[in-house]
């Protein structure tokens, strides 16, 4: 079932239950209150009847105004009350049944029928009540009033209840329609961004990483979802372009030395060129370049694969640095570089071989990209959580716009200068992979023409 349908149905169901419950409860309350009200009304009505009958007695003349009693009785009859008035001697003064038998029967039938069809459960029937007629403490007769008990509803009362029920029904239906509409609207608002996210995820699965969700939702969770999907698309797109770039770079890196060695060798085989030591050395150089590139790639693959298999031991970083610096002794001397090493740090848990490799790559770059007679400063320091190692040089520097990419595989800032230095652009990628495998961090600062500074942080 679709999310939209599910949400709308749930919403409608909740409202339906609420409306039904409210209607049933209000109906029960209204009915019981109405019954109480009607019973009280009837009590009042009979009292009023008795009082108005008493008022028709003239004490001085000891006589009754029967005409008025007739009017009162007939009026009461139409309201459902059958009145009989007796005087002090128990003689009938006025009797509704005798006066107008047909109307009496009709009224009684009407009331009984109405009540039996609408309220069959109250088991009502016509009952008579006797009231003593007393004026100035003298009993002047009695009134017998019959009506449908325990209570009865007039036509108007029924009409009022009917209208009330109809109003309740209309309110219920309107609430239901409104809730379905609101439910549909709400569920559309919730499901739309999810559907869009699904669409974008599908397009990504099909290889289209340009897809993005453009609309921004104001519901936090939905906004987070769309942001995450957009971020995922962005990162996949970047990975895709890096992968493509990587293949192109490897092909390019290999093609140049291979073509050069191939043409030289072909010329020598065809007898066009004398196979002199110099030419053979040139071919050897090209092959060495291919070899070192393949070695770099192997190294990188190894670091990638060995991420989980680090041989971590407490490592004295200053001894590592001394070892690496001395291994570059010759290059340092050849370029007449001044290399200093200062500072100290506590032993960090690390894989010695890997850290040596990372430091060697940083130092080799510093030497490579620092002109004759330059300065290289290596420092060790630490914070509470990290050991910090910096390799700083006053060499050629890196253009600011290239700085964010130098740790990527095969990325070489200013391609032309690197062809001369022979770098393949993998060194820093290896550094990054090693440091990150140690859950550390590496960053670079540089200014073109002024020098560069690489900082490695290793957790203690
Ligand atoms: P490469 O083998 O080309 O040196 P790296 O991955 O080691 O590859 O370095 C990537 C790029 O970063 C280099 O091509 C170079 O342009 C730049 N770079 C690295 N270290 C330095 C440095 N110390 N000074 C100037 N540029 C540097």
């Amino acid at each position: 079932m679709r999310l939209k349908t599910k949400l709308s149905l749930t919403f409608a169901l909740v409202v339906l239950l609420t409306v039904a419950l409210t209607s049933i409860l209000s109906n029960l309350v209204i009915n019981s209150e109405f019954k109480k009200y009607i019973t009280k009304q009837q009590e009042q009505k009979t009292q009023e009847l008795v009082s108005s009958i008493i008022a028709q007695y003239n004490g001085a003349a000891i006589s009754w105004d029967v005409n008025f009693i007739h009017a009162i009785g007939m009026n009461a009859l139409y309201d459902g009350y059958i009145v009989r008035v007796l005087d002090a001697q128990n003689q009938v003064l006025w009797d509704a049944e005798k006066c107008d038998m047909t109307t009496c029967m009709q009224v009684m039938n009407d009331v009984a029928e109405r009540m039996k069809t609408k309220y069959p459960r109250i088991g009502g029937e016509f009952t008579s009540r006797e009231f003593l007629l007393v004026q100035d403490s003298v009993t002047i007769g009695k009134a017998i009033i019959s009506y449908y008990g325990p209570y009865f509803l007039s036509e108007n009362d029924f009409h009022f209840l009917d209208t009330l029920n109809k109003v309740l029904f209309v309110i219920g239906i309107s609430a239901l329609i409104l809730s379905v509409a609101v439910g549909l609207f709400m569920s559309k608002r919730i499901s739309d961004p999810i559907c869009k996210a699904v669409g974008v995820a599908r397009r990504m699965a099909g290889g289209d990483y340009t897809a993005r969700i453009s609309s921004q939702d104001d519901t936090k969770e939905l906004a987070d979802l769309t942001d995450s999907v957009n971020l995922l698309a962005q990162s996949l797109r970047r990975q895709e372009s890096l992968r493509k770039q990587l293949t192109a770079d490897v092909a390019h890196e290999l093609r140049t030395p291979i073509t050069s060695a191939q043409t030289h060798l072909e010329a020598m085989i065809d007898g066009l060129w004398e196979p002199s030591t110099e030419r053979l050395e040139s071919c050897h150089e090209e092959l060495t370049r291919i070899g070192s590139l393949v070695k770099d790639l192997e190294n990188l693959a190894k670091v990638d694969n060995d991420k989980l298999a680090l041989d971590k031991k407490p490592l004295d970083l200053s001894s590592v640095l001394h070892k690496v610096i001395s291994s570059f002794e010759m290059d340092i001397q050849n370029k007449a570089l001044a290399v200093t090493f200062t500072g100290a740090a506590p032993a960090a848990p690390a894989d010695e071989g890997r850290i040596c490799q990372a430091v060697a790559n940083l130092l080799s770059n510093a030497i490579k990209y620092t002109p004759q007679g330059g300065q290289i400063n290596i420092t060790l320091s630490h914070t509470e959580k990290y050991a910090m190692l910096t390799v700083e040089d006053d060499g050629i520097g890196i253009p600011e716009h290239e700085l964010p990419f130098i740790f990527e595989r095969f990325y070489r800032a200013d391609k032309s200068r690197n062809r001369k230095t022979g770098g393949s652009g993998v060194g820093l990628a290896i550094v990054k992979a090693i440091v990150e495998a140690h859950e550390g961090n590496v960053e670079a600062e540089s200014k073109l023409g002024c020098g560069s500074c690489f900082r490695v942080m290793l957790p203690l």
Side-chain angles (χ1 to χ4, degrees):
M1 196 191 271
R2 293 186 62 183
L3 177 68
K4 202 156 100 182
T5 325
K6 225 172 188 174
L7 281 174
S8 312
L9 279 181
T10 316
F11 210 79
L13 195 72
V14 169
V15 174
L16 188 71
L17 284 177
T18 317
V19 167
L21 213 71
T22 321
S23 307
I24 292 169
L25 278 177
S26 53
N27 223 298
L28 281 178
V29 172
I30 289 171
N31 267 337
S32 91
E33 285 304 306
F34 197 68
K35 270 177 220 163
K36 277 188 211 157
Y37 164 77
I38 291 288
T39 318
K40 216 166 135 194
Q41 279 280 95
Q42 273 166 353
E43 192 60 37
Q44 228 169 347
K45 175 84 182 169
T46 48
Q47 288 305 332
E48 270 170 24
L49 272 175
V50 170
S51 313
S52 40
I53 292 169
I54 291 171
Q56 307 317 315
Y57 183 71
N58 184 342
I62 317 177
S63 71
W64 289 88
D65 188 339
V66 180
N67 279 343
F68 262 98
I69 292 178
H70 172 79
I72 293 164
M74 286 311 283
N75 245 333
L77 178 61
Y78 293 119
D79 288 342
Y81 297 86
I82 294 150
V83 180
R84 187 161 14 132
V85 185
L86 308 174
D87 63 11
Q89 289 75 42
N90 262 350
Q91 297 297 311
V92 176
L93 276 174
W94 190 82
D95 186 348
E97 279 178 84
K98 284 202 182 114
C99 187
D100 191 343
M101 186 64 179
T102 355
T103 316
C104 270
M105 289 307 288
Q106 202 183 334
V107 167
M108 282 163 82
N109 282 343
D110 278 358
V111 172
E113 205 173 306
R114 255 200 327 258
M115 288 306 287
K116 281 202 171 111
T117 39
K118 298 259 169 134
Y119 292 94
R121 270 183 296 143
I122 63 167
E125 56 184 354
F126 269 90
T127 44
S128 302
R129 285 177 67 190
E130 266 189 33
F131 297 89
L132 275 185
L133 305 175
V134 180
Q135 196 183 58
D136 302 330
S137 312
V138 180
T139 306
I140 52 170
K142 67 180 169 193
I144 299 156
I145 304 175
S146 310
Y147 58 87
Y148 195 89
Y151 61 86
F152 74 93
L153 274 70
S154 71
E155 198 118 13
N156 280 341
D157 298 334
F158 275 118
H159 182 69
F160 169 74
L161 277 186
D162 262 4
T163 315
L164 201 68
N165 280 334
K166 268 183 205 150
V167 169
L168 275 178
F169 183 72
V170 170
I171 290 175
I173 293 289
S174 320
L176 201 66
I177 292 172
L178 202 73
S179 72
V180 171
V182 172
L184 276 173
F185 174 72
M186 289 291 294
S187 48
K188 191 171 148 44
R189 278 200 63 181
I190 293 173
S191 66
D192 265 7
I194 297 177
C195 290
K196 277 186 196 154
V198 170
V200 169
R202 284 216 179 106
R203 281 174 67 186
M204 281 195 279
D208 175 7
Y209 303 127
T210 54
R212 295 285 184 282
I213 306 165
S214 53
S215 58
Q216 206 26 287
D217 205 276
D218 52 13
T219 314
K220 192 186 171 300
E221 287 80 357
L222 294 177
D224 284 352
L225 174 74
T226 47
D227 283 352
S228 314
V229 171
N230 281 344
L231 216 66
L232 180 68
Q234 205 175 325
S235 121
L236 282 173
R237 191 178 180 190
R238 204 169 129 70
Q239 291 298 324
E240 164 94 343
S241 81
L242 276 178
R243 192 173 55 78
K244 284 185 184 154
Q245 183 67 40
L246 186 74
T247 324
D249 285 347
V250 172
H252 180 257
E253 289 302 319
L254 288 172
R255 200 187 42 210
T256 323
I258 287 175
T259 319
S260 157
Q262 198 180 8
T263 46
H264 285 194
L265 285 171
E266 271 170 9
M268 284 185 264
I269 291 167
D270 291 348
L272 297 174
W273 274 4
E274 261 311 290
S276 65
T277 317
E278 207 176 291
R279 282 173 181 151
L280 285 172
E281 263 175 4
S282 152
C283 287
H284 180 255
E285 210 173 276
E286 298 296 2
L287 289 175
T288 314
R289 192 199 279 249
I290 297 171
S292 79
L293 172 65
V294 171
K295 203 170 138 221
D296 275 349
L297 281 174
E298 270 172 357
N299 263 336
L300 197 57
K302 208 155 173 234
V303 174
D304 278 345
N305 294 334
D306 283 2
K307 253 181 199 170
L308 298 171
L310 287 176
D311 181 18
K312 279 195 198 173
K313 280 183 195 137
L315 184 64
D316 177 10
L317 291 170
S318 40
S319 77
V320 168
L321 282 166
H322 280 301
K323 217 189 287 177
V324 174
I325 295 168
S326 58
S327 72
F328 282 98
E329 199 78 53
M330 282 295 286
D331 303 285
I332 294 168
Q333 267 179 24
N334 285 346
K335 282 186 116 176
L337 300 168
V339 179
T340 66
F341 171 41
T342 50
D351 184 321
E352 186 172 1
R354 297 267 169 249
I355 296 296
C356 271
Q357 191 182 357
V359 175
N361 286 3
L362 290 179
L363 188 57
S364 118
N365 275 350
I367 295 170
K368 220 166 13 175
Y369 300 111
T370 304
Q372 202 79 14
Q375 171 87 33
I376 297 173
N377 298 324
I378 300 165
T379 29
L380 259 185
S381 62
H382 67 97
T383 64
E384 206 182 316
K385 288 184 179 160
Y386 289 95
M388 233 155 25
L389 184 161
T390 50
V391 179
E392 197 179 356
D393 62 61
D394 60 355
I396 57 173
I398 304 160
E400 203 183 325
H401 64 278
E402 308 227 36
L403 211 49
F405 309 108
I406 54 166
F407 290 101
E408 274 162 22
R409 289 152 201 224
F410 292 104
Y411 194 87
R412 297 185 316 196
D414 187 0
K415 308 246 156 163
S416 61
R417 76 184 184 196
N418 282 285
R419 190 137 299 285
K420 285 181 255 146
T421 57
S424 58
V426 179
L428 287 180
I430 292 177
V431 173
K432 189 171 183 243
I434 291 174
V435 173
E436 282 181 355
H438 283 81
E439 277 148 34
N441 185 29
V442 55
E443 53 194 29
E445 279 168 37
S446 186
K447 205 158 181 220
L448 194 61
C450 295
S452 319
C453 175
F454 287 82
R455 185 174 301 111
V456 172
M457 315 244 283
L458 287 175
L460 286 173

